[in-house]
Amino acid sequence: MTGTTLDYHNDSLSLTVIEAIADELETDPVELEPLYHAVDPEALDSLFRSNAGVDARVEFAYGDHTVEVQSDGTIVVDGTVHARS
């Protein structure tokens, strides 16, 4: 039987956004306010799913910080670029 393994770090852009914010703030991701206080993580994942073929950019405020997510997987937090690994 074959199956698909979900790799949350590669399959969930919202988790990558959380990691980028944590990196920018020099804190542990579990210490952050939930992302859903700023943006709908499921909608973000759905919009930028690799097979969606969308050329888009989403910008939102996360606390006092500005977060931009681009369709190529680039995440910008307060002007600092965090490339999706």
Side-chain angles (χ1 to χ4, degrees):
M1 180 176 180
T2 62
T4 302
T5 301
L6 181 62
D7 181 347
Y8 287 103
H9 294 285
N10 290 321
D11 295 335
S12 174
L13 182 62
S14 59
L15 288 178
T16 307
V17 169
I18 292 168
E19 291 173 351
I21 294 169
D23 184 52
E24 185 68 22
L25 301 179
E26 298 179 354
T27 191
D28 192 303
V30 298
E31 300 296 324
L32 296 173
E33 287 292 319
L35 187 61
Y36 61 77
H37 287 180
V39 68
D40 182 337
E42 291 178 14
L44 193 65
D45 289 342
S46 179
L47 178 63
F48 292 111
R49 190 166 288 123
S50 61
N51 61 355
V54 176
D55 185 22
R57 178 180 77 82
V58 173
E59 184 174 298
F60 60 92
Y62 180 87
D64 294 333
H65 307 280
T66 301
V67 179
E68 178 183 323
V69 181
Q70 301 172 4
S71 56
D72 66 358
T74 300
I75 300 164
V76 182
V77 181
D78 292 335
T80 302
V81 176
H82 299 266
R84 189 171 184 189
S85 52

